[in-house]
Amino acid sequence: MKILLIDDDPFVLKLLSIQLRAFGLERRGFVDVVCSESGRAGLDLLEQDPRVKLVFCDLQMPEMDGVEFVRHLVRLGYAGGLVLISGETPRTRQAVEQLARAHGLNVSGTLGKPVSSESLLEVLDASIPAGKPPHTAQPTPAYTPADLQLAIQHGELLNHYQPKVDLATGRVIGVEALVRWQHPQDGLVMPHHFVPMSEEHGLVGYLGVEVMREALRDLRRWLDAGHQLDMAVNVSLGSVSSLDYPDFLAEQAHAAGIPLHRLILEITESRLMDNPQVQLDVLTRLRLKQVKLSIDDFGTGYSGLAQLCDLPFDELKIDRGFVHGSSRNPALRAILDASLGLARELGLRTVAEGVETQEDWQLLQASGCDMAQGYFIAKPMPGSHMDDWLAAWEARRRMLVGETLSSGQS
């Protein structure tokens, strides 16, 4: 594998080459560093040499700027790692990073100029596992409503669970159920390939029933084992627009032996209030039945503040886009602090999504956030893996919060 450096400044190219080679590239699976003084020349090299698996690109170049270069990477179907470098403001770098990610590119990070050896090594190690090629993008599977209907009927949908932990104590206080499709030919299919289709074609209700049924069954097993967990489940707009949904959910929970106060329904902010009277009716009745309500992906919609005032939410989930890396990004930090302050004023619990590093964790602890969720804690996992993970987390959390517990306490 090769690394491609693109910058119109020959001195910067030479310095980056020296820094990268000093890290021992062979141990990381790279054989060479090649340089280009323009985006156009860099694209020509990419088209000619498929061994280029990591690109460092300057944003401010005279012939082709970094935004144009990103556009061409998408056109080429480039599936390797991308590191953006610029002397522009952090907000400008962040904007280009967001654009590249929105296009589906694998952005390993952004670096300001001058580039420090420490930050360069950090993004290099995060880019590609040692000795392994980067993930190659696969064609997006094309599924039909009939395919999904058969999957539901044949029991091919399954839940994975991502833990939520208390930031003050590190204790696991709940899990979020995340649906997957175990396709007989394609393997594990992620929800963005089929959930939007289920909503468009009237299948989301059937999908939701299967997700909730499995979530309740698994929660009952964990409660019986002594784990005092809450279960968070995403619900569709269609569900909170059906007047009989609160009674239907209560029947499902009763049949599974689950107290309703153990359930949290996560509702995406930008999809609320299409039918405000009915949704207010349904959500209020759910609260009267002690079901907790969480506004998901807060900050990504258009009318979140009004909804927080009007609807009986208990919990605010801060979108991952405002969490990860906010300790190094003043704009993200301002949004995070404002969201936490608003939640405190409204008496809402807060959950930060996208907690990927110890740096994220420590910032949230210091900021007074209540709960955390993300890869730093755990990736979503099958329900059968939860017991082992809970035991392993107990030892790890003591290190994170500096707490000494008597043996046997959970």
Side-chain angles (χ1 to χ4, degrees), residues 121-188:
L121 180 59
E122 183 179 340
V123 296
L124 180 64
D125 285 341
S127 298
I128 302 174
K132 297 181 181 179
H135 172 71
T136 301
Q138 300 295 323
T140 300
Y143 302 114
T144 67
D147 294 333
L148 181 57
Q149 194 164 14
L150 283 174
I152 294 172
Q153 292 172 359
H154 294 163
E156 294 173 5
L157 297 182
L158 55 86
N159 290 349
H160 280 200
Y161 299 96
Q162 188 170 37
K164 296 161 64 176
V165 304
D166 183 278
L167 275 157
T169 65
R171 294 186 182 281
V172 183
I173 55 179
V175 295
E176 178 182 359
L178 301 163
V179 67
R180 305 289 189 259
W181 178 358
Q182 189 63 56
H183 194 281
Q185 284 80 43
D186 298 337
L188 198 65

Side-chain angles (χ1 to χ4, degrees), residues 202-376:
L203 296 173
V204 69
Y206 300 104
L207 187 151
V209 168
E210 294 304 310
V211 171
M212 184 64 75
R213 180 181 292 122
E214 184 176 354
L216 292 171
R217 183 176 65 245
D218 285 336
L219 179 58
R220 183 66 265 166
R221 178 168 59 83
W222 293 324
L223 291 174
D224 289 343
H227 304 301
Q228 299 303 305
L229 303 175
D230 288 342
M231 174 66 71
V233 180
N234 293 280
V235 295
S236 71
L237 178 64
S239 294
V240 297
S241 297
S242 174
L243 289 172
D244 61 356
Y245 182 75
D247 296 319
F248 174 73
L249 180 61
E251 291 171 5
Q252 277 193 297
H254 178 74
I258 299 297
L260 285 172
H261 72 265
R262 287 289 178 191
L263 293 182
I264 303 172
L265 301 186
E266 295 190 0
I267 305 163
T268 302
E269 168 200 347
S270 59
R271 305 195 59 197
L272 283 169
M273 304 306 285
D274 287 1
N275 192 348
Q277 289 80 18
V278 170
Q279 290 166 351
L280 182 59
D281 181 311
V282 171
L283 294 175
T284 304
R285 289 193 66 222
L286 286 167
R287 281 300 299 123
L288 290 173
K289 294 179 181 295
Q290 306 307 308
V291 176
K292 302 183 184 76
L293 302 176
S294 176
I295 185 165
D296 199 9
D297 297 336
F298 181 72
T300 60
Y302 298 97
S303 55
L305 294 178
Q307 292 164 6
L308 283 176
C309 290
D310 296 339
L311 299 174
F313 287 107
D314 311 88
E315 181 180 282
L316 184 150
K317 291 194 79 173
I318 303 172
D319 183 72
R320 67 187 68 248
F322 305 125
V323 174
H324 176 54
S326 59
S327 60
R328 300 186 300 274
N329 186 313
L332 295 182
R333 176 67 182 273
I335 295 171
L336 174 64
D337 288 343
S339 300
L340 292 171
L342 178 64
R344 279 192 289 269
E345 292 295 322
L346 295 174
L348 303 176
R349 299 185 308 275
T350 49
V351 182
E353 298 183 286
V355 181
E356 297 185 8
T357 64
Q358 186 158 355
E359 190 176 31
D360 294 337
W361 172 279
Q362 290 171 339
L363 174 64
L364 292 165
Q365 273 190 322
S367 300
C369 186
D370 296 314
M371 292 167 276
Q373 182 178 352
Y375 281 16
F376 177 71

Side-chain angles (χ1 to χ4, degrees), residues 377-394:
I377 300 159
K379 295 181 180 181
M381 68 190 81
S384 59
H385 294 183
M386 274 293 298
D387 288 334
D388 288 342
W389 180 85
L390 285 165
W393 174 257
E394 179 61 22

